[in-house]
Amino acid sequence: MTQGFATRAVHAGTEPDPASGSRAQPIHQTTSFVFRDSDHAAKLFALQEFGNIYTRLGNPTVGALEGRVADLEGGTMAVGVGSGHAAQMLAFHVLMEPGRNIVAAKQLYGGSINQLNHAFAKFGWSVKWADIDDLSSFEAAVDGDTRAIFTESLANPGGLVTDMAAVAKIANAAGVPYIVDNTMASPYLCRPLEHGADIIVESLTKFIGGHGNSIGGIIVDGGKFDWKANTDKFPTMSTPQSYYNDLVFADGFGALPLGPDGANVDIAFAIAARAFSLRDLGPALSPFNAFMIMTGCETLPLRMAKHCANAMEVATWLKGRDEVSWVRYAGLSDDPHHALGQKYMPKGAGAVFTFGLKGGYEAGVKLVESLNVFSHLANIGDTRSLVIHPASTTHSQLSDEQKTAAGAAPDTVRLSVGIEDAPDLIADLEQALAGLS
Ligand SMILES: *Cc1c(COP(=O)(O)O)cnc(C)c1O
């Protein structure tokens, strides 16, 4: 019997340390690992045996976290990296070549929009934007150079829910992997691999770590994409690689007995992400951060349940306030994304949502300054409640029109509701709203 989520959140990926008996995961704060002999070293470098070489390529503490998140997401193998953005860069690096494009939802975290528009352009990768509220826009955007479709499960900042099964069908028909950023939902609320996603990327900085103290990211291989059926499209996966004695990754790592009860699983994408992209681009996760994030992960189910319950209370309360013109939270029964929320994340619609102030831009600026329990900062997914006025901060360089399109109109305030007592959060909002008039 598969163990429950809360059990796996505590135990998956770890066992008492065989050398010391340490029950908590030791922090292997080392750059490098001693080889048994020359033959062992040669095998490790040729990927003929898995093991530790150098912490840029892998580390036992990071490996424990990888095992845990791969298990929680239902993937075959994970690669922990230095940030959520690094996870995105490395996942795309395996798939892309100059001149190819990514079809991406325009409802993405602002930093991801920048990464796709600007940073990736320097690699010769382009992006074609689609709209999660108009699925035909994904079909229309896909062309012969498309190598991935990319959306968030629950989209930042508005808390919008993507119809992942429908997007997966489009990706399938196009013969490209569907990559989902699951940061805002976390595997507790939603497991996109169960809805047709092929690869997960997520920021560990947010809900999985959960305490606002460590930056990290992870790639999870779903193990289901058929690289061999798409040989022309993905040369890194399905043509001989001279780096590694002409090994074809989709062959060499397409069926290894690493699954439950020794079942064969496909870990080819995860190995490629590590053996090419992490090795050569270099954004490794520090063992200390992996330890902090793993400690946070143990309480993920408890925290997410409280985050969602608090968000629901706060959103419901805000809806009844005169100063507030609208609230967008998929947890509310009259929200346009409520039905999708019920389908994809029935345990809750997360803890990040937006609302509008009748007083517009000026009111937004004043509100963030008047809150005391909510911290005014640019993060989400902390135990602490957080607030930001996107128009005057994260989205300030955009025109009013662009701000509105990105879900950051001048009147918009974004909350990331923490795990404090809901009445204290509401009292804080009440005094700040009262101060607006
Ligand atoms: C924060 C965030 C990222 C980037 O993660 P970092 O760890 O900050 O690099 C990506 N996607 C979403 C949805 C995020 O909220």
Side-chain angles (χ1 to χ4, degrees):
M1 192 189 88
T2 317
Q3 291 178 323
F5 189 93
T7 305
R8 293 183 286 128
V10 172
H11 291 285
T14 60
E15 53 186 29
D17 179 48
S20 64
S22 167
R23 190 64 190 85
Q25 173 61 45
I27 305 174
H28 293 273
Q29 192 66 28
T30 181
T31 56
S32 354
F33 302 85
V34 177
F35 306 120
R36 289 195 301 270
D37 52 36
S38 306
D39 183 49
H40 178 221
K43 281 194 169 129
L44 291 177
F45 275 94
L47 294 179
Q48 286 161 0
E49 189 178 323
F50 292 140
N52 300 307
I53 299 174
Y54 185 64
T55 284
R56 169 152 46 74
L57 312 176
N59 172 285
T61 311
V62 177
L65 174 62
E66 291 166 344
R68 181 164 301 172
V69 177
D71 182 297
L72 296 179
E73 287 285 6
T76 57
M77 187 174 260
V79 183
V81 296
S83 69
H85 268 8
Q88 294 165 202
M89 172 178 73
L90 299 190
F92 289 120
H93 185 253
V94 175
L95 305 171
M96 302 295 287
E97 308 280 335
R100 308 304 185 201
N101 67 66
I102 300 159
V103 171
K106 67 179 189 187
Q107 294 89 352
L108 288 186
Y109 172 66
S112 300
I113 293 177
N114 284 337
Q115 186 187 51
L116 270 71
N117 269 336
H118 304 296
F120 286 178
K122 291 199 154 200
F123 296 152
W125 312 341
S126 58
V127 55
K128 298 178 84 178
W129 296 108
D131 182 350
I132 59 169
D133 284 323
D134 171 16
L135 293 171
S136 68
S137 66
F138 283 89
E139 268 168 322
V142 169
D143 64 25
D145 285 323
T146 301
R147 291 296 177 268
I149 294 184
F150 182 49
T151 75
E152 293 175 5
S153 48
L154 184 61
N156 198 344
L160 312 176
V161 182
T162 305
D163 188 349
M164 286 173 275
V167 177
K169 262 194 206 139
I170 297 169
N172 229 338
V176 301
Y178 177 27
I179 305 184
V180 173
D181 178 340
N182 198 35
T183 302
M184 291 253 295
S186 89
Y188 175 75
L189 295 179
C190 179
R191 280 178 298 285
L193 296 174
E194 294 171 3
H195 302 291
D198 297 296
I199 295 158
I200 303 295
V201 292
E202 60 199 339
S203 173
L204 301 170
T205 315
K206 313 295 172 57
F207 292 100
I208 292 182
H211 293 70
N213 59 27
S214 306
I215 302 272
I218 201 156
I219 302 165
V220 183
D221 185 351
K224 280 181 289 198
F225 190 79
D226 189 354
W227 305 106
K228 304 281 284 178
N230 296 283
T231 306
D232 304 344
K233 284 202 172 102
F234 304 106
T236 301
M237 298 303 301
S238 39
T239 62
Q241 297 300 312
S242 55
Y243 260 164
Y244 291 110
N245 302 321
D246 286 341
L247 181 71
V248 174
F249 275 53
D251 289 331
F253 305 109
L256 293 185
L258 301 170
D261 301 325
N264 277 341
V265 292
D266 183 341
I267 56 169
F269 183 82
I271 299 292
R274 185 185 305 282
F276 289 101
S277 304
L278 179 57
R279 187 191 73 168
D280 293 356
L281 295 174
L285 178 60
S286 95
F288 182 75
N289 277 16
F291 172 83
M292 295 299 283
I293 291 163
M294 232 180 5
T295 302
C297 189
E298 291 172 9
T299 56
L300 177 66
L302 297 172
R303 285 185 291 104
M304 284 317 280
K306 179 75 167 164
H307 276 298
C308 290
N310 277 357
M312 192 68 186
E313 276 200 51
V314 170
T316 304
W317 181 84
L318 282 169
K319 264 202 99 128
R321 291 295 302 197
D322 282 347
E323 302 89 341
V324 172
S325 42
W326 54 268
V327 178
R328 274 306 304 264
Y329 180 54
L332 297 171
S333 57
D334 59 351
D335 189 83
H337 283 194
H338 183 69
L340 285 171
Q342 292 292 105
K343 173 173 177 186
Y344 289 108
M345 38 205 80
K347 284 192 280 199
V352 179
F353 68 91
T354 52
F355 65 96
L357 287 169
K358 286 185 186 149
Y361 186 96
E362 296 307 324
V365 170
K366 191 158 178 209
L367 184 87
V368 296
E369 287 178 350
S370 327
L371 288 163
N372 301 315
V373 181
F374 283 82
S375 301
H376 178 203
L377 56 75
N379 188 26
I380 59 166
D382 193 328
T383 49
R384 286 155 276 263
S385 288
L386 315 174
V387 63
I388 200 157
H389 177 234
S392 62
T393 55
T394 50
H395 291 66
S396 56
Q397 285 93 348
L398 305 182
S399 69
D400 277 2
E401 238 171 44
Q402 289 172 314
K403 282 179 187 140
T404 305
D411 69 334
T412 301
V413 174
R414 183 187 76 187
L415 299 182
S416 173
V417 179
I419 61 172
E420 303 97 332
D421 290 305
D424 293 330
L425 302 179
I426 288 170
D428 194 30
L429 285 162
E430 183 159 35
Q431 63 78 23
L433 287 172
L436 294 180
S437 46

